[in-house]
Amino acid sequence: MRLARTALELLLASHPVDCAHCLKSGSCELQSIAKHLGVKLKTKRFAKILPELAVDTSNPLFIHDPNKCVLCGKCIRVCQEKVGRGVIGFGYRGFRRMVTTFGDEPLGRALCQDCSECIAVCPVGALVFKEKSQ
Ligand code: SF4
Ligand code: SF4
C-alpha cells in the first residue's frame, strides 16, 4: 500500500490536476485510485514538474491531451489488436514519452478512422470527445 501511494504521488507530480475543467472528472480512474489509496490529488510530497506537451485538437471528434496521459497503453493496444489499425504507439523517452502517431502526424491527419475505441478505453482525460468540451 505504501509503495502504491508513492507511485501514485510520483505520477501526480507530473500530472496537471485540473479536474474542475477536465471532461473526465467524475469517471476518471486516477481520481478513483487516489480516493481508494487516500492520496490527495494535489499532493505536494514531490516537486511538480509538468511535461507541457502540445494538445492535439486536429481530429473533428476528439482531443488528445498527452499531458494527462498516464501511459497505460490501453489506447495503443485497442487500436492495434481490436481495430487492427496500429495508428498510435509510444514515442520518445523518459519524461517526454507519449502516445503519438507515425511521424507525429496530428490525429486529424493520421490514418485514424475515428472509431473512438481508444477514447472508450482511456482511463483519464487524455483522450476525450470534443463535443463534451463545448
Ligand atoms: S485526468 Fe482525472 S485527475 Fe487528471 S485532471 Fe482529469 S479528472 Fe482530474
Ligand atoms: S489510454 Fe489514455 S492514458 Fe492510456 S496511454 Fe492511451 S492516452 Fe494515455
Side-chain angles (χ1 to χ4, degrees), residues 15-19 22 24-26 28 30-31 41 68 124-126:
H15 186 87
V17 180
D18 185 23
C19 306
C22 184
K24 197 74 177 180
S25 190
C28 172
L30 209 46
Q31 288 177 325
L41 283 167
K68 291 179 183 166
V124 292

Side-chain angles (χ1 to χ4, degrees), residues 64-66 68-76 88 90 98-99 118-119 121-127:
H64 175 221
D65 183 351
K68 291 179 183 166
C69 178
V70 293
L71 302 174
C72 68
K74 286 183 177 180
C75 55
I76 295 169
I88 46 180
F90 284 124
M98 64 180 284
V99 170
C118 56
I119 297 157
V121 296
C122 183
V124 292
L127 282 165

Side-chain angles (χ1 to χ4, degrees), residues 91-108:
Y92 305 99
R93 288 185 183 187
F95 199 60
R96 297 201 65 77
R97 187 156 172 83
M98 64 180 284
V99 170
T100 187
T101 60
F102 183 73
D104 283 338
E105 274 286 300
L107 279 161

